Coordinates of all heavy atoms in Angstrom, one line a residue:
M1 N 0.9 -1.2 0.0 CA 0.0 0.0 0.0 C 0.9 1.2 0.0 O 1.8 1.4 0.8 CB -0.9 0.0 1.2 CG -2.0 1.0 1.2 SD -3.2 0.8 -0.1 CE -4.5 -0.1 0.8
S2 N 0.6 2.1 -0.9 CA 1.4 3.3 -1.0 C 1.2 4.3 0.1 O 0.0 4.5 0.5 CB 1.1 4.0 -2.3 OG 1.3 3.1 -3.4
D3 N 2.3 4.8 0.7 CA 2.1 5.9 1.7 C 2.5 7.2 1.1 O 3.7 7.5 0.8 CB 3.0 5.5 2.9 CG 2.9 6.6 4.0 OD1 2.2 7.6 3.8 OD2 3.5 6.3 5.1
F4 N 1.5 8.0 0.8 CA 1.8 9.2 0.1 C 2.4 10.3 0.9 O 2.8 11.4 0.3 CB 0.4 9.7 -0.5 CG -0.1 8.9 -1.6 CD1 -1.0 7.8 -1.3 CD2 0.3 9.0 -2.9 CE1 -1.4 7.0 -2.3 CE2 -0.1 8.2 -3.9 CZ -1.0 7.2 -3.6
T5 N 2.5 10.1 2.2 CA 3.2 11.1 3.0 C 4.6 10.8 3.3 O 5.3 11.5 4.0 CB 2.4 11.3 4.3 OG1 2.4 10.1 5.1 CG2 0.9 11.7 4.0
A6 N 5.1 9.7 2.8 CA 6.4 9.2 3.2 C 7.6 9.7 2.4 O 8.7 9.5 2.7 CB 6.4 7.6 3.2
Y7 N 7.3 10.4 1.3 CA 8.3 10.8 0.4 C 8.3 12.4 0.2 O 7.4 13.0 0.6 CB 8.1 10.2 -1.0 CG 8.1 8.7 -0.9 CD1 6.9 7.9 -0.8 CD2 9.3 8.0 -0.9 CE1 6.9 6.6 -0.8 CE2 9.3 6.6 -0.8 CZ 8.1 5.9 -0.7 OH 8.2 4.5 -0.7
P8 N 9.4 12.9 -0.3 CA 9.5 14.3 -0.6 C 8.4 14.8 -1.5 O 8.1 16.0 -1.4 CB 10.9 14.5 -1.2 CG 11.7 13.3 -0.8 CD 10.7 12.2 -0.7
H9 N 7.9 14.0 -2.4 CA 6.7 14.4 -3.2 C 5.8 13.2 -3.2 O 6.2 12.0 -3.3 CB 7.2 14.7 -4.6 CG 6.1 15.4 -5.4 ND1 5.1 14.7 -5.9 CD2 6.0 16.7 -5.8 CE1 4.3 15.6 -6.5 NE2 4.8 16.8 -6.5
P10 N 4.5 13.4 -3.2 CA 3.5 12.3 -3.1 C 3.6 11.4 -4.3 O 3.3 10.2 -4.1 CB 2.1 13.1 -3.1 CG 2.4 14.4 -2.6 CD 3.8 14.7 -3.0
V11 N 3.9 11.9 -5.5 CA 4.0 11.0 -6.7 C 5.0 10.0 -6.5 O 5.0 8.9 -7.1 CB 4.2 11.9 -7.9 CG1 4.5 11.0 -9.1 CG2 3.0 12.7 -8.2
L12 N 6.0 10.2 -5.7 CA 7.1 9.2 -5.4 C 6.6 8.0 -4.7 O 7.3 7.0 -4.7 CB 8.2 9.8 -4.6 CG 9.1 10.9 -5.3 CD1 10.0 11.6 -4.3 CD2 10.0 10.2 -6.3
A13 N 5.4 8.0 -4.3 CA 4.8 6.8 -3.5 C 4.5 5.7 -4.4 O 4.4 4.5 -4.0 CB 3.6 7.2 -2.8
V14 N 4.4 5.9 -5.7 CA 4.2 4.8 -6.7 C 5.4 4.7 -7.6 O 6.0 5.6 -7.9 CB 2.9 5.1 -7.5 CG1 1.7 5.1 -6.6 CG2 3.0 6.3 -8.3
P15 N 5.6 3.4 -8.1 CA 6.6 3.3 -9.1 C 6.2 3.9 -10.5 O 5.0 4.0 -10.7 CB 6.8 1.8 -9.2 CG 5.6 1.2 -8.6 CD 5.0 2.2 -7.7
C16 N 7.1 4.2 -11.3 CA 6.7 4.8 -12.6 C 6.5 3.7 -13.7 O 7.4 2.9 -13.9 CB 7.8 5.7 -13.1 SG 7.3 6.6 -14.6
P17 N 5.3 3.7 -14.3 CA 5.0 2.7 -15.3 C 5.7 3.0 -16.6 O 5.8 2.2 -17.5 CB 3.5 2.9 -15.6 CG 3.0 3.9 -14.5 CD 4.2 4.6 -14.0
D18 N 6.3 4.2 -16.7 CA 6.9 4.6 -17.9 C 8.4 4.3 -17.9 O 8.9 3.5 -18.7 CB 6.7 6.2 -18.1 CG 7.1 6.6 -19.5 OD1 8.0 6.0 -20.1 OD2 6.5 7.6 -20.0
C19 N 9.2 4.9 -17.0 CA 10.6 4.7 -16.9 C 11.0 3.6 -15.9 O 12.2 3.3 -15.7 CB 11.4 6.0 -16.7 SG 11.0 6.7 -15.0
R20 N 10.0 3.0 -15.3 CA 10.2 1.8 -14.4 C 11.0 2.2 -13.1 O 11.6 1.3 -12.5 CB 11.0 0.7 -15.1 CG 10.3 0.3 -16.4 CD 9.0 -0.5 -16.1 NE 8.3 -0.8 -17.3 CZ 7.0 -1.3 -17.3 NH1 6.4 -1.5 -16.2 NH2 6.4 -1.5 -18.4
R21 N 11.1 3.4 -12.8 CA 11.7 3.8 -11.5 C 10.9 3.3 -10.3 O 9.6 3.4 -10.4 CB 12.0 5.3 -11.4 CG 12.8 5.9 -12.5 CD 14.2 5.3 -12.5 NE 15.0 5.9 -11.5 CZ 16.2 5.5 -11.1 NH1 16.8 4.5 -11.7 NH2 16.9 6.2 -10.2
R22 N 11.5 2.8 -9.3 CA 10.8 2.3 -8.2 C 10.2 3.4 -7.3 O 10.6 4.6 -7.5 CB 11.7 1.4 -7.3 CG 12.7 2.2 -6.5 CD 13.7 1.3 -5.8 NE 14.6 2.1 -5.0 CZ 15.6 2.8 -5.4 NH1 15.9 2.8 -6.7 NH2 16.4 3.5 -4.6
A23 N 9.3 3.1 -6.4 CA 8.8 4.1 -5.5 C 9.9 4.7 -4.7 O 10.8 4.0 -4.3 CB 7.8 3.4 -4.5
G24 N 9.9 6.0 -4.6 CA 10.9 6.7 -3.9 C 12.0 7.3 -4.8 O 12.8 8.1 -4.4
A25 N 12.1 6.8 -6.0 CA 13.1 7.2 -6.9 C 12.5 8.2 -8.0 O 11.4 7.9 -8.5 CB 13.7 6.0 -7.7
W26 N 13.2 9.2 -8.3 CA 12.7 10.2 -9.2 C 12.7 9.6 -10.6 O 13.5 8.7 -10.9 CB 13.5 11.5 -9.2 CG 13.3 12.2 -7.9 CD1 13.9 12.0 -6.7 CD2 12.4 13.3 -7.7 NE1 13.4 12.9 -5.8 CE2 12.5 13.7 -6.4 CE3 11.4 14.0 -8.5 CZ2 11.7 14.7 -5.8 CZ3 10.7 15.0 -8.0 CH2 10.8 15.3 -6.6
C27 N 11.8 10.1 -11.5 CA 11.8 9.7 -12.9 C 13.1 9.9 -13.6 O 13.9 10.9 -13.2 CB 10.7 10.4 -13.7 SG 9.1 9.6 -13.4
Q28 N 13.4 9.1 -14.5 CA 14.7 9.3 -15.2 C 14.4 9.4 -16.7 O 13.6 8.7 -17.3 CB 15.5 8.0 -15.0 CG 17.0 8.3 -15.1 CD 17.8 7.1 -14.5 OE1 17.4 5.9 -14.7 NE2 18.9 7.4 -13.8
R29 N 15.2 10.3 -17.3 CA 15.1 10.4 -18.8 C 15.9 9.3 -19.4 O 16.8 8.7 -18.8 CB 15.7 11.8 -19.2 CG 14.9 13.0 -18.6 CD 15.0 14.2 -19.4 NE 14.2 15.3 -18.9 CZ 12.8 15.3 -19.1 NH1 12.2 14.3 -19.7 NH2 12.1 16.3 -18.6
P30 N 15.7 9.0 -20.7 CA 16.4 8.0 -21.4 C 17.9 8.3 -21.4 O 18.7 7.3 -21.4 CB 15.9 8.1 -22.9 CG 14.5 8.6 -22.7 CD 14.6 9.6 -21.5
S31 N 18.3 9.5 -21.3 CA 19.7 9.9 -21.2 C 20.4 9.4 -19.9 O 21.6 9.4 -19.8 CB 19.9 11.4 -21.4 OG 19.3 12.1 -20.3
G32 N 19.5 9.1 -18.9 CA 20.0 8.8 -17.6 C 20.0 9.9 -16.6 O 20.2 9.7 -15.4
H33 N 19.7 11.1 -17.1 CA 19.6 12.3 -16.2 C 18.3 12.2 -15.5 O 17.3 11.7 -16.0 CB 19.7 13.6 -17.0 CG 21.0 13.9 -17.6 ND1 21.3 13.8 -18.9 CD2 22.2 14.1 -17.0 CE1 22.6 14.1 -19.1 NE2 23.1 14.3 -17.9
K34 N 18.3 12.7 -14.3 CA 17.1 12.8 -13.5 C 16.1 13.8 -14.2 O 16.5 14.9 -14.5 CB 17.4 13.3 -12.1 CG 16.2 13.2 -11.2 CD 16.6 13.6 -9.7 CE 16.1 15.0 -9.4 NZ 16.3 15.4 -8.0
A35 N 14.9 13.4 -14.4 CA 13.9 14.2 -15.0 C 13.5 15.4 -14.0 O 13.5 15.2 -12.8 CB 12.7 13.4 -15.4
S36 N 13.1 16.5 -14.6 CA 12.7 17.6 -13.8 C 11.3 17.5 -13.4 O 10.8 18.2 -12.5 CB 12.9 18.9 -14.5 OG 12.2 18.9 -15.7
D37 N 10.6 16.5 -14.0 CA 9.2 16.3 -13.7 C 8.9 14.8 -13.8 O 9.7 14.1 -14.4 CB 8.3 17.1 -14.6 CG 6.9 17.2 -14.1 OD1 6.6 16.8 -12.9 OD2 6.0 17.7 -14.8
F38 N 7.7 14.4 -13.2 CA 7.4 13.0 -13.3 C 6.7 12.7 -14.7 O 6.1 13.6 -15.3 CB 6.4 12.7 -12.2 CG 6.9 12.9 -10.8 CD1 6.5 14.0 -10.1 CD2 7.9 12.0 -10.3 CE1 7.1 14.2 -8.8 CE2 8.4 12.2 -9.1 CZ 8.0 13.3 -8.3
H39 N 6.8 11.5 -15.1 CA 6.1 11.1 -16.3 C 4.6 11.2 -16.1 O 4.1 10.9 -15.0 CB 6.5 9.7 -16.7 CG 7.9 9.6 -17.3 ND1 8.9 9.0 -16.7 CD2 8.3 10.1 -18.5 CE1 10.0 9.1 -17.4 NE2 9.7 9.7 -18.5
L40 N 3.9 11.5 -17.1 CA 2.4 11.7 -17.0 C 1.8 10.4 -16.5 O 0.8 10.4 -15.7 CB 1.8 12.1 -18.3 CG 2.1 13.5 -18.8 CD1 1.5 13.7 -20.2 CD2 1.5 14.5 -17.8
A41 N 2.3 9.2 -17.0 CA 1.7 8.0 -16.5 C 1.8 7.7 -15.0 O 1.0 7.1 -14.4 CB 2.4 6.8 -17.3
R42 N 2.9 8.3 -14.5 CA 3.2 8.1 -13.1 C 2.2 9.0 -12.3 O 1.7 8.6 -11.2 CB 4.6 8.4 -12.7 CG 5.0 8.0 -11.3 CD 6.4 8.3 -11.0 NE 6.9 7.6 -9.8 CZ 8.2 7.7 -9.4 NH1 9.1 8.4 -10.0 NH2 8.5 7.0 -8.3
K43 N 2.1 10.2 -12.8 CA 1.1 11.1 -12.1 C -0.3 10.5 -12.1 O -1.0 10.6 -11.1 CB 1.1 12.5 -12.8 CG 2.4 13.2 -12.7 CD 2.3 14.6 -13.4 CE 3.6 15.3 -13.5 NZ 3.4 16.6 -14.2
A44 N -0.7 10.0 -13.2 CA -2.0 9.4 -13.3 C -2.1 8.2 -12.4 O -3.1 8.0 -11.7 CB -2.3 8.9 -14.7
E45 N -1.1 7.4 -12.3 CA -1.1 6.2 -11.4 C -1.1 6.7 -9.9 O -1.8 6.1 -9.1 CB 0.1 5.3 -11.7 CG 0.3 4.2 -10.7 CD -0.8 3.2 -10.6 OE1 -1.7 3.2 -11.5 OE2 -0.9 2.5 -9.6
A46 N -0.4 7.7 -9.6 CA -0.4 8.2 -8.2 C -1.8 8.7 -7.9 O -2.3 8.5 -6.8 CB 0.7 9.3 -8.1
D47 N -2.4 9.4 -8.8 CA -3.7 9.9 -8.5 C -4.7 8.8 -8.3 O -5.5 8.8 -7.4 CB -4.1 10.8 -9.7 CG -4.8 12.1 -9.3 OD1 -4.4 12.6 -8.3 OD2 -5.7 12.6 -10.0
R48 N -4.6 7.8 -9.2 CA -5.5 6.7 -9.1 C -5.4 6.0 -7.8 O -6.3 5.6 -7.1 CB -5.3 5.7 -10.3 CG -6.3 4.6 -10.4 CD -5.7 3.4 -11.2 NE -4.6 2.8 -10.5 CZ -4.6 2.0 -9.5 NH1 -5.8 1.8 -8.9 NH2 -3.5 1.5 -8.9
A49 N -4.1 5.7 -7.4 CA -3.8 5.0 -6.2 C -4.3 5.8 -4.9 O -4.7 5.3 -3.9 CB -2.3 4.7 -6.1
F50 N -4.1 7.1 -5.1 CA -4.5 8.0 -4.0 C -6.0 8.0 -3.7 O -6.4 7.9 -2.6 CB -4.0 9.5 -4.3 CG -4.3 10.4 -3.2 CD1 -3.4 10.6 -2.1 CD2 -5.5 11.2 -3.2 CE1 -3.7 11.5 -1.1 CE2 -5.7 12.1 -2.2 CZ -4.9 12.2 -1.1
I51 N -6.7 8.1 -4.8 CA -8.2 8.0 -4.7 C -8.6 6.7 -4.2 O -9.6 6.6 -3.4 CB -8.8 8.4 -6.1 CG1 -8.6 9.8 -6.4 CG2 -10.3 8.0 -6.1 CD1 -9.0 10.2 -7.8
E52 N -8.0 5.6 -4.7 CA -8.3 4.3 -4.3 C -8.2 4.1 -2.7 O -9.0 3.5 -2.1 CB -7.5 3.3 -5.0 CG -7.8 1.8 -4.7 CD -6.9 0.9 -5.5 OE1 -7.3 0.6 -6.6 OE2 -5.9 0.4 -5.0
R53 N -7.1 4.7 -2.2 CA -6.8 4.6 -0.8 C -7.6 5.6 0.1 O -8.1 5.3 1.1 CB -5.3 4.7 -0.5 CG -5.0 4.6 0.9 CD -3.5 4.5 1.2 NE -3.3 4.3 2.6 CZ -2.1 4.3 3.2 NH1 -1.0 4.4 2.5 NH2 -2.0 4.1 4.5
H54 N -7.7 6.8 -0.4 CA -8.2 7.9 0.5 C -9.6 8.4 0.0 O -10.2 9.2 0.7 CB -7.2 9.0 0.5 CG -5.9 8.6 1.1 ND1 -5.7 8.4 2.5 CD2 -4.7 8.4 0.6 CE1 -4.5 8.0 2.7 NE2 -3.8 8.1 1.6
G55 N -10.0 8.0 -1.1 CA -11.3 8.4 -1.6 C -11.2 9.7 -2.5 O -10.3 10.5 -2.4
P56 N -12.3 9.9 -3.3 CA -12.2 11.0 -4.2 C -12.3 12.4 -3.6 O -12.0 13.4 -4.2 CB -13.4 10.8 -5.1 CG -14.3 9.9 -4.3 CD -13.4 9.1 -3.4
D57 N -12.7 12.5 -2.3 CA -12.8 13.8 -1.7 C -11.5 14.2 -1.0 O -11.4 15.3 -0.5 CB -14.0 13.7 -0.7 CG -15.3 13.6 -1.3 OD1 -15.4 14.0 -2.5 OD2 -16.2 13.1 -0.7
A58 N -10.6 13.3 -0.9 CA -9.4 13.6 -0.2 C -8.4 14.4 -1.0 O -8.4 14.4 -2.3 CB -8.7 12.3 0.3
S59 N -7.5 15.1 -0.3 CA -6.4 15.8 -1.0 C -5.2 15.7 -0.1 O -5.3 15.2 1.1 CB -6.7 17.3 -1.3 OG -6.8 18.0 0.0
I60 N -4.0 16.0 -0.6 CA -2.8 15.9 0.2 C -2.3 17.4 0.2 O -2.2 18.1 -0.8 CB -1.8 14.9 -0.4 CG1 -0.7 14.7 0.6 CG2 -1.3 15.3 -1.8 CD1 0.1 13.4 0.3
V61 N -1.9 17.7 1.4 CA -1.4 19.1 1.6 C 0.0 19.1 2.2 O 0.4 18.3 3.0 CB -2.3 19.9 2.5 CG1 -3.7 20.2 1.8 CG2 -2.5 19.2 3.8
R62 N 0.8 20.1 1.8 CA 2.1 20.2 2.3 C 2.1 20.9 3.7 O 1.4 21.9 3.9 CB 3.0 21.1 1.3 CG 4.5 21.0 1.6 CD 5.2 22.0 0.8 NE 5.4 21.6 -0.6 CZ 6.3 20.8 -1.1 NH1 7.2 20.3 -0.3 NH2 6.4 20.6 -2.4
T63 N 2.8 20.3 4.6 CA 2.8 20.9 6.0 C 4.3 21.2 6.3 O 5.2 20.9 5.5 CB 2.3 19.9 7.0 OG1 3.2 18.7 7.0 CG2 0.9 19.4 6.7
A64 N 4.5 21.8 7.4 CA 5.9 22.1 7.8 C 6.8 20.9 7.9 O 7.9 21.0 7.5 CB 5.8 22.8 9.2
G65 N 6.2 19.8 8.3 CA 7.0 18.6 8.5 C 7.0 17.6 7.3 O 7.6 16.6 7.3
G66 N 6.2 18.0 6.2 CA 6.2 17.1 5.1 C 4.8 17.2 4.4 O 4.4 18.2 3.8
W67 N 4.0 16.1 4.5 CA 2.7 16.0 3.8 C 1.7 15.4 4.8 O 2.0 14.6 5.6 CB 2.8 15.2 2.5 CG 3.8 15.7 1.5 CD1 5.1 15.4 1.5 CD2 3.5 16.6 0.4 NE1 5.6 16.1 0.4 CE2 4.7 16.8 -0.2 CE3 2.3 17.2 0.0 CZ2 4.7 17.6 -1.4 CZ3 2.4 18.0 -1.1 CH2 3.6 18.2 -1.8
S68 N 0.5 15.8 4.6 CA -0.6 15.2 5.4 C -1.8 15.1 4.5 O -2.0 15.8 3.6 CB -0.9 15.9 6.7 OG -1.5 17.2 6.4
I69 N -2.7 14.1 4.8 CA -3.9 13.8 4.1 C -5.0 14.6 4.7 O -5.3 14.5 5.9 CB -4.2 12.3 4.1 CG1 -3.0 11.4 3.7 CG2 -5.5 12.0 3.3 CD1 -2.6 11.6 2.2
D70 N -5.7 15.3 3.8 CA -7.0 16.0 4.3 C -8.1 15.2 3.6 O -8.3 15.2 2.4 CB -7.0 17.4 3.8 CG -8.3 18.1 4.2 OD1 -9.2 17.5 4.7 OD2 -8.3 19.3 4.0
P71 N -8.9 14.4 4.5 CA -9.9 13.5 3.9 C -11.0 14.2 3.2 O -11.7 13.6 2.3 CB -10.4 12.8 5.1 CG -9.5 13.1 6.2 CD -8.8 14.3 5.9
R72 N -11.2 15.5 3.4 CA -12.3 16.2 2.8 C -11.8 17.4 2.0 O -12.5 18.3 1.6 CB -13.2 16.8 3.9 CG -13.8 15.7 4.8 CD -15.0 15.0 4.2 NE -16.2 15.9 4.2 CZ -17.3 15.7 3.5 NH1 -17.4 14.6 2.8 NH2 -18.3 16.6 3.5
G73 N -10.5 17.3 1.6 CA -9.8 18.5 1.0 C -10.4 18.8 -0.4 O -10.3 20.0 -0.8
R74 N -11.0 17.8 -1.0 CA -11.5 18.1 -2.4 C -12.9 18.6 -2.4 O -13.5 19.0 -3.4 CB -11.4 16.8 -3.2 CG -10.0 16.4 -3.5 CD -9.2 17.3 -4.4 NE -9.7 17.1 -5.8 CZ -9.1 17.8 -6.8 NH1 -8.1 18.6 -6.6 NH2 -9.6 17.6 -8.0
V75 N -13.6 18.5 -1.3 CA -15.0 18.9 -1.3 C -15.2 20.4 -1.6 O -14.5 21.2 -1.0 CB -15.7 18.6 0.1 CG1 -17.1 19.1 0.2 CG2 -15.6 17.1 0.4
G76 N -16.0 20.7 -2.5 CA -16.2 22.1 -2.9 C -15.2 22.6 -3.9 O -15.4 23.7 -4.4
I77 N -14.2 21.9 -4.1 CA -13.2 22.3 -5.1 C -13.5 21.9 -6.5 O -13.5 22.6 -7.4 CB -11.8 21.9 -4.7 CG1 -11.4 22.5 -3.3 CG2 -10.8 22.2 -5.8 CD1 -10.1 21.9 -2.8
R78 N -13.9 20.6 -6.6 CA -14.1 20.0 -7.9 C -15.6 19.9 -8.1 O -16.3 19.2 -7.3 CB -13.5 18.6 -7.9 CG -13.6 17.9 -9.3 CD -12.8 16.6 -9.3 NE -13.2 15.8 -8.1 CZ -12.4 15.0 -7.4 NH1 -11.2 14.9 -7.8 NH2 -12.9 14.3 -6.4
P79 N -16.1 20.5 -9.1 CA -17.6 20.6 -9.3 C -18.2 19.3 -9.8 O -19.3 19.0 -9.5 CB -17.7 21.7 -10.4 CG -16.4 21.7 -11.1 CD -15.4 21.3 -10.1
T80 N -17.4 18.4 -10.5 CA -17.9 17.2 -11.0 C -17.0 16.1 -10.6 O -15.8 16.3 -10.3 CB -18.1 17.2 -12.5 OG1 -16.8 17.3 -13.1 CG2 -18.9 18.4 -13.0
P81 N -17.4 14.8 -10.7 CA -16.6 13.7 -10.3 C -15.4 13.6 -11.3 O -14.4 12.9 -11.0 CB -17.4 12.4 -10.5 CG -18.8 13.0 -10.3 CD -18.8 14.4 -10.9
E82 N -15.5 14.2 -12.5 CA -14.3 14.1 -13.4 C -13.9 15.5 -13.7 O -14.7 16.5 -13.6 CB -14.8 13.4 -14.7 CG -15.3 12.0 -14.5 CD -14.1 11.1 -14.1 OE1 -13.0 11.4 -14.3 OE2 -14.4 10.0 -13.6
P83 N -12.7 15.8 -14.1 CA -11.6 14.8 -14.2 C -11.0 14.4 -12.8 O -11.1 15.2 -11.9 CB -10.6 15.5 -15.0 CG -10.7 16.9 -14.7 CD -12.2 17.1 -14.4
R84 N -10.5 13.2 -12.8 CA -9.9 12.8 -11.5 C -8.4 13.0 -11.4 O -7.8 12.8 -10.4 CB -10.2 11.3 -11.3 CG -11.7 11.1 -11.0 CD -11.9 9.7 -10.4 NE -13.2 9.7 -9.7 CZ -13.7 8.7 -9.1 NH1 -13.0 7.6 -9.0 NH2 -14.8 8.8 -8.4
Q85 N -7.8 13.4 -12.5 CA -6.4 13.7 -12.4 C -6.2 15.0 -11.7 O -7.0 15.9 -11.9 CB -5.7 13.7 -13.8 CG -5.8 12.3 -14.4 CD -5.0 12.2 -15.7 OE1 -4.2 13.1 -16.0 NE2 -5.1 11.1 -16.4
G86 N -5.1 15.2 -11.0 CA -4.8 16.5 -10.5 C -4.9 16.5 -9.0 O -4.7 17.6 -8.4
N87 N -5.3 15.5 -8.3 CA -5.4 15.5 -6.9 C -4.1 15.8 -6.2 O -4.1 16.5 -5.1 CB -5.9 14.1 -6.3 CG -7.4 13.9 -6.5 OD1 -7.8 14.2 -7.6 ND2 -8.1 13.5 -5.5
L88 N -3.1 15.4 -6.8 CA -1.8 15.5 -6.1 C -1.0 16.7 -6.6 O 0.0 17.1 -6.0 CB -0.9 14.2 -6.4 CG -1.6 12.9 -5.9 CD1 -0.7 11.8 -6.2 CD2 -2.0 13.0 -4.5
L89 N -1.3 17.2 -7.8 CA -0.4 18.2 -8.4 C -1.1 19.5 -8.7 O -2.3 19.6 -8.8 CB 0.1 17.6 -9.7 CG 0.9 16.3 -9.5 CD1 1.1 15.7 -10.9 CD2 2.2 16.6 -8.8
Ligands
ZN1 ZN1 9.0 8.0 -15.0

């Protein structure tokens, strides 16, 4: 089970389906350099896993000590159930 508060960025909680980096490791470009952003597939997977674990109304917020889950953070923000991408970013 992914822990979205355990890493410097919530998307790091899931492995990347694109460049195959494991959870906790930043995405990598084909050149071997660290990417400046996550692959879209990983963001989508992180969002999906986040909703699966915490529900569609939850959001994750940055705190002084890292990250915390707000179970009702999305209420009132998103007018429709879709799109579901973007909970984390
Ligand atoms: Zn990647």
Side-chain angles (χ1 to χ4, degrees):
M1 191 65 96
S2 305
D3 184 353
F4 291 91
T5 63
Y7 300 98
H9 193 286
V11 170
L12 288 168
V14 298
C16 184
D18 193 329
C19 64
R20 305 289 175 190
R21 301 297 283 173
R22 70 186 187 283
W26 290 85
C27 280
Q28 208 166 37
R29 299 206 174 285
S31 65
H33 290 110
K34 189 177 101 173
S36 59
D37 195 8
F38 300 105
H39 287 112
L40 287 176
R42 191 179 196 177
K43 294 181 185 179
E45 171 59 17
D47 223 34
R48 189 199 62 74
F50 182 84
I51 290 170
E52 183 177 278
R53 178 167 183 188
H54 297 289
D57 292 335
S59 66
I60 189 163
V61 291
R62 194 189 285 274
T63 65
W67 299 86
S68 70
I69 306 296
D70 180 350
R72 302 276 292 167
R74 295 289 288 185
V75 174
I77 296 173
R78 186 174 50 212
T80 66
E82 300 292 342
R84 288 198 159 180
Q85 294 190 13
N87 284 48
L88 304 180
L89 302 169

